[in-house]
Amino acid sequence: MEVADKIRHFIKEEVVLDTDSSLEDDAPLLDGILDSLALMQLVAFLEEEFDTEIDDTEVTAENFKTIADIERLVDGRRARA
Amino acid sequence: MASLLHHLLSEAAQRDPDHLAVRCRDRTLTYGELESAANGVAATLTAAGVRHRDRVGVHLPKSVEMVAAVYGVMKAGAAYVPLDPRAPTARLGGIATDCEIAGLISTTKGAHSLLPAIEQHDLRIAIAVGDAPEAIEQPVQVIRFDDAAAAPGEPHVEGIDTDLAYILYTSGSTGSPKGVMLSHRHALNFVRWCASALEVGPQDTLSNHAPLHFDLSVFDLYLAALSGATVVPVPDEITYLGAELSSFIAREGVSVWYSVPSALTLLARTLPGPGALPTLRTVVFAGEVFPTKELRRLRELLPEADLWNLYGPTETNVCTYHRVTALPEDHVPIPIGRACENTEVFALRDDGGVAGVGEEGELFVRGTCVMDGYWGRPERTAEVVVPDPRPGGRDVAYRTGDLVRLRPDGEYEFLGRRDHQIKSRGYRIELGDIEAALAANPAFLESAAVAVPHPDWGTAVIAWVVPRNGAEITERTVRSHVAGLLPRYMVPARVEVVDALPRTSNGKVDRQQLNDRSSTVPVG
């Protein structure tokens, strides 16, 4: 599965709790989908799934606005690793 | 002198019409512009048939329009009912139906989804922020917000200070939300006390982090207007992003911040060191217990800031305050403090006597801060707004259900909910005590203690712990930590180590969800 698909799968399964919903790469996540609990769960998921560490200072709107933004954050980490 | 909340706006606009009243994202309104927009909204509502003492739903994201909307509703003589845009439509429809709103102020998209869920016939008008409201097919008049705000005329609805200003719906024990009714006088009394205690003036910039349906917004909006200061609503999409909140404070030059402790904890984790937010002079928090360990960290990062703990259920907004000076040890929570001006608090022991120094009791509140009741629920109101139970008591008091202890210095300590008081194996246990012990461990980022029924012990305590990044935590380490601070009988029976605690839309720990999850945990 691609990075974006894994993130999408997690958000649909664990946050939206509706696997039928469509969640495009550019859908806004911070305006109603990700609340404080979901954000923490998502960060923990990313850290484990992609074997990386995400600092609190990196949990920004720029990095978490959409699935595409999260994918960019993860890809950037993996390129550096 | 102002006797209604919107008089605060009119007076500020008269004093200094060009002073910045509200800024959100890249939109700003001066006091003159805000007054004019609110007058337009009021005139539009009135023309549509909204009358003195009606209710109008405000279903808007954080925006300059949200601020103009609440003033417009009050200027029309009505009470505003915040409808959380993030809440499920069915729940909002139920609230709007319950209090029979006569008008709705929403976005075009919001109105489109919410209007069909409102099952009553008194709705006369919807005002929609955004384009093309004509796309909404409803048997109700829909007007663009910008057109409403630009409507000429000044409203001439004369109310009195005991009229309702707003109704805040909170979760009810039976599952359907109950509407807490609050008057102009109630909010005015509070913000006047704030202005003098916190010394807020026109040079200040106040944050508005809490959503409109949470009573922290009353402080933000009306203290700003009373003081002629600027209020800066925090855009919804950064509400839970600590790093963004820090940048927001720096960028907007926020001098007075008010939020739940958990938002401050998030924010503190992203600050590089002391002095990073030089404009922030006063930090006020309420809504839940601020773990002393986290508060100490915040104070180290904001050494210049004045810290205030405010306490009060929605039914009283705020009734006590504690100005943070010396901090106790990590496992001892800070007090909720003493009564605000024109407010009296006292605690009743189980035997009905007034609790003295060192004694525990249920906290009662008397004064202007006490709500008018729950909308449409006189029986439920009568259970909590009761005749002053003390000898010679003449009026009413609100019974909070919160257990407190009076300290020798006259301040009250919060011990827990009356319904969180548990007995296990014959021992009396306060969950707050266990939570304070958990909070004292630096390896635990967050924690909570929940009581579940147990066939043998009466009750068992389950601890929920979120490890700090990288911390290795097991059931055993948690139990042995608590055992080091509390009597053995208070050590949780089971420990659930989790990635995060569930939270409500207000940002508080969601106790209901924790209770539900705890009931499925097997206890030996």
Side-chain angles (χ1 to χ4, degrees), chain A residues 44-55:
Chain A
F45 166 77
L46 297 174
E47 291 185 329
E48 186 170 332
E49 180 70 30
F50 302 110
D51 192 25
T52 183
E53 274 201 19
I54 296 171
D55 192 79

Side-chain angles (χ1 to χ4, degrees), chain B residues 31 68 77 87 123 125 133 140 156 168 245 265 292 342 353 445 489 502 523:
Chain B
Y31 271 103
L123 190 61
I125 180 175
V140 59
H156 292 288
L168 303 180
L245 296 179
T265 300
T292 303
N342 200 18
L445 185 59
Y489 64 81
V523 179

Side-chain angles (χ1 to χ4, degrees), chain B residues 441 474-485 488 491-492 495:
Chain B
N441 190 316
T474 64
E475 175 150 21
R476 201 185 150 276
T477 56
V478 173
R479 298 183 81 226
S480 79
H481 164 74
V482 177
L485 291 171
R488 292 292 303 175
V491 176
V495 177

Side-chain angles (χ1 to χ4, degrees), chain B residues 283-285 295 298-299 302 305-309 322-324:
Chain B
V283 174
V284 189
F285 46 89
L295 181 56
L298 182 73
R299 197 174 60 168
L302 302 172
D306 237 355
L307 303 175
W308 296 72
N309 181 27
H322 168 73
R323 190 174 185 173
V324 178

Side-chain angles (χ1 to χ4, degrees), chain B residues 241-299:
Chain B
L241 303 173
E244 301 287 355
L245 296 179
S246 322
S247 319
F248 177 85
I249 291 172
R251 187 173 65 242
E252 298 288 341
V254 170
S255 59
V256 180
W257 172 273
Y258 187 26
S259 75
V260 289
S262 53
L264 286 161
T265 300
L266 273 179
L267 188 160
R269 280 187 220 152
T270 66
L271 292 178
L277 299 173
T279 59
L280 194 56
R281 68 171 182 85
T282 299
V283 174
V284 189
F285 46 89
E288 62 185 344
V289 178
F290 205 143
T292 303
K293 176 183 57 172
E294 298 292 345
L295 181 56
R296 192 184 316 283
R297 192 151 161 232
L298 182 73
R299 197 174 60 168

Side-chain angles (χ1 to χ4, degrees), chain B residues 398-464:
Chain B
Y398 171 71
R399 59 181 307 176
T400 63
D402 285 343
L403 291 173
V404 297
R405 180 162 48 215
L406 181 59
R407 311 196 317 177
D409 64 2
E411 299 211 341
Y412 283 92
E413 290 170 350
F414 175 78
L415 301 175
R417 281 294 297 172
R418 199 179 172 81
D419 41 17
H420 282 179
Q421 184 195 102
I422 59 164
K423 279 203 162 188
S424 182
R425 290 163 280 176
Y427 291 104
R428 181 168 162 170
I429 298 177
E430 293 297 341
L431 291 176
D433 227 352
I434 299 173
E435 292 191 330
L438 291 168
N441 190 316
F444 306 168
L445 185 59
E446 282 187 302
S447 47
V450 175
V452 294
H454 189 279
D456 300 326
W457 311 336
T459 317
V461 175
I462 311 231
W464 292 80

Side-chain angles (χ1 to χ4, degrees), chain A residues 30 35-37 39 56 60-61, chain B residues 237 240 244 269 500-503:
Chain A
L30 293 171
D35 62 5
S36 58
L37 174 64
L39 267 166
D56 289 321
T60 60
Chain B
E237 64 272 17
Y240 307 117
E244 301 287 355
R269 280 187 220 152
L501 299 180
R503 296 203 176 273

